Each structure stands twice: as structure tokens, then as C-alpha cells.
Amino acid sequence: MRSYPLFDAFPRLGVFPRAGLLDGITAVQPMPGADDIWIKRDDLSASDFGGNKIRKLDLLLAQARARGRKDVLTFGYSGSNFVAATAWHGRKLGLATQAVLLPQADAPYVADNLATGLHAGAQLHLARGNAAAVARAIALSTAKLLRHGRVPLWIPPGGSSPLGALGFVNAAFELRAQVESGAMPAPARLYVAFSSMGTVAGLAIGLALAGLQTRIEAVQVVGDEFASAAKLDRLIRRTRQLLRRADPAACPGRVAEVRIRTEFFGRGYALASPAVKAAMSRFGSATGARSDSAYSGKAIAALYADHDAGALRGPTLYWHTFNAHGRPAGVAPLPAPALAPYVL
């Protein structure tokens, strides 16, 4: 199967260029030790640096090149998987990356992602709050304009624009093909981390458009200022408008049901409660896959809690978003003194 079954179903969507970053479809596998649960292995979306962000970047970085940009500017926390992936894959396409980062609680993956971004030539700038981050980004863009006569293409946190969300409308069509091939039954529920919202927005549209009767359990991993029901509704509406302009037939009349789960967020971003730590350990022992305290660990904790309580009804899918690899080949570890400014 090709990487864009959505575009095969709606050829007019071919107006959106793709960068070719995806290795192909990501496997659906049974969850060891848990009946009627499957895993969507988006951690293996690209062999060098994978994760769910690559689906968004495949469209967003292609757009930057199509517009003749040489630079992109994005945002995230210090250990942002998206910032690291943007720098790593952008370099392949001849795009330089600037990123404005907010400091965060330390976690094992933070140093790896910082090292990956720096190795790929990213210019990383620290800010101490949201307003300061926007001000710094404006200053960086102005300096680029004055020196080179152009500004970077701004990419929102996590790549969660309407265009980025199309990567997950397509992902739902990929899932439907896997259901039709017998890889798993049609899922009644789908568990996934809820952060910058592009993954959930795209799946909500795509599942409905693909005819899958699946409820999304969106497990909150950031504060309400970044992800909420109202913000999700706006992103879904804007993504549907983008689809409608390209091909009205590709805009569904409804979207999948989304239930936002806040009870696993805990004390803050990337801070793992004992339940999250236990879930990450259990998942790693069962599957051999990596997880993180910021995103996937909290979604896994919600899944296991519902499973252990006997609350699951029907086939269930966990969408694994974390990059399967640590530092890509050739990336040296980040020395501890270099990490210190980026963590709280």
C-alpha cells in the first residue's frame, strides 16, 4: 500500500506536495499480554527518526520547499520531539531550522532530542514564557528579513496546523486499509496523547471520512492553554475548511467522537506520576518499545487503567507516537553542562 491512501481516494488532494519522509505504512500489532488491544507503531514511521510528527512534517516541509523557503521556525519545550524531527528531516531537504524553546522538567529523552537538533544544525533559542517565545520568534524573523530579504516559514508547535493535521486524516485511511486486510478488527476505541492537537484533529476527521465508528480517547499531556476542547474544535473546523477547498467530497459531514481525558496529566508537562512510570515499565517489558514521560507514557497509563478496570468494550487501538530510536546514528551525547540551561 502506498503512503497516501487518502490521496488515492480523493485525487484532487494531490495539490498538497509531500516530502517523502515516511518509510511507508506503520504496522498494527497485537499488544502482548492484553487481549483485544492492538498497537499502531508510529514510532517506526521513519527508520532514522520516527514518531507521529513525521506524518505532519511530510506535508509541512514539502510546503516550505514549494514556497521557496530556506528556513523554518518552530516552537516547543526543550525536549520537543517535533523540534528535533524538524531539524533532522529538514536538513535532508535543504531547510535550516530555528526553534524557540521553553524549559521543562528533565527526562532521559530531553538530552537526546537536543543533541539531535543541534547535530542537524538547528539554532535553538530559550524563552521563559509563551509571550517571550512569540516576541523572540518575531525578532528572529525580522532579523532574517533584514539580512536575507525573506522570513522563515513559521510552523506551530507540534506541526498542528490544518495542513499538518491532514497527515492524520491520511493515517485514518491507512488504518482502514489495515482493518480491511485483517490486521485488526475495526477499533471501538483509540487511545492517543493529546498535546498540540493535530494528531487528534486529523484522526477525528479521518476516522469519520473513512467510515470507522471509533471513539478517540484523547489523553491530555499539556496544560489547557495549549490543548482544550474549544481549541480542538477550531483546529478541526479549519482542517475541514482546507479539505473542502481542495475537494468538497473529502470533507465529512461529521467527525469521530473525542473524549478528552485529563486524569493522567498529573503535576505538569513531562512529570510522570507513579502510575505513569509503572505503565511505561509495563509497556516496555511487554513490547520492547520506548516511551516517554511527556506524551506516550500518559496515554499508555490511561489505556492500562481502563483495561485493568474492565472498562474496555470491543477492539481497542493504542496509537504509539514516540520515536522508536534515541539519537540517530552519528549524533553524539549532549554533555551535562550543555543540557543545564534547558531544564528546570
Side-chain angles (χ1 to χ4, degrees):
M1 184 178 70
R2 286 162 46 180
S3 295
Y4 277 83
L6 171 67
F7 291 11
D8 293 338
F10 300 97
R12 290 170 63 181
L13 299 182
V15 297
F16 300 111
R18 286 87 76 196
L21 303 179
L22 295 163
D23 283 353
I25 66 169
T26 59
V28 169
Q29 300 172 347
M31 174 82 88
D35 293 339
D36 226 18
I37 299 178
W38 284 260
I39 311 167
K40 180 68 167 158
R41 296 295 303 268
D42 260 20
D43 55 328
L44 300 171
S45 60
S47 58
D48 49 357
F49 195 106
N52 68 317
K53 311 301 188 185
I54 312 309
R55 294 187 184 273
K56 303 174 188 178
L57 285 169
D58 199 44
L59 294 160
L60 293 165
L61 296 182
Q63 178 191 59
R65 289 217 308 177
R67 293 183 176 181
R69 302 297 178 91
K70 302 296 183 184
D71 313 85
V72 297
L73 189 153
T74 192
F75 307 83
Y77 283 101
S78 295
S80 170
N81 294 298
F82 182 74
V83 168
T86 300
W88 185 260
H89 291 289
R91 184 178 63 166
K92 299 177 189 176
L93 302 171
L95 294 167
T97 297
Q98 295 194 70
V100 182
L101 304 177
L102 299 175
Q104 68 165 85
D106 196 8
Y109 70 91
V110 176
D112 284 346
N113 283 346
L114 285 167
T116 299
L118 291 168
H119 180 91
Q123 296 180 27
L124 306 180
H125 309 270
L126 271 173
R128 293 293 169 179
N130 296 336
V134 173
R136 188 66 184 274
I138 291 171
L140 291 168
S141 296
T142 302
K144 182 67 71 172
L145 177 63
L146 293 174
R147 291 174 191 161
H148 303 287
R150 63 176 188 268
V151 295
L153 180 72
W154 281 36
I155 299 177
S160 292
S161 66
L163 181 62
L166 287 192
F168 274 89
V169 180
N170 177 70
F173 275 71
E174 181 178 302
L175 174 61
R176 183 180 72 176
Q178 291 173 305
V179 168
E180 291 172 345
S181 72
M184 73 166 293
R189 293 189 189 184
L190 187 158
Y191 286 72
V192 68
F194 182 57
S195 53
S196 59
M197 304 181 296
T199 298
V200 172
L203 286 173
I205 295 168
L207 291 166
L209 189 60
L212 293 172
Q213 303 297 316
T214 304
R215 184 174 80 186
I216 299 172
E217 302 285 336
V219 183
Q220 185 115 13
V221 301
V222 294
D224 289 343
E225 69 272 26
F226 297 115
S228 67
K231 288 180 171 62
L232 176 63
D233 287 345
R234 285 197 294 271
L235 181 55
I236 288 174
R237 183 172 63 251
R238 292 171 58 214
T239 304
R240 295 179 72 218
Q241 290 170 347
L242 180 66
L243 282 166
R244 187 181 296 112
R245 287 195 297 269
D247 185 352
C251 184
R254 65 173 190 89
V255 299
E257 179 185 356
V258 177
R259 183 167 71 151
I260 297 174
R261 305 284 297 273
T262 61
E263 65 267 41
F264 298 92
F265 180 48
R267 294 183 295 112
Y269 178 79
L271 297 174
S273 67
V276 169
K277 292 177 181 178
M280 291 171 63
S281 177
R282 179 176 172 183
F283 178 76
S285 297
T287 66
R290 301 170 72 232
S291 59
D292 67 303
S293 59
Y295 299 97
S296 57
K298 296 181 180 183
I300 294 164
L303 173 69
Y304 277 138
D306 289 355
H307 170 268
D308 294 349
L312 301 181
R313 299 290 184 272
T316 299
L317 180 64
Y318 162 61
W319 205 291
H320 191 43
T321 57
F322 191 50
N323 170 33
H325 319 287
R327 299 185 310 276
V331 177
L334 189 72
L339 173 64
Y342 294 95
V343 295
L344 298 172

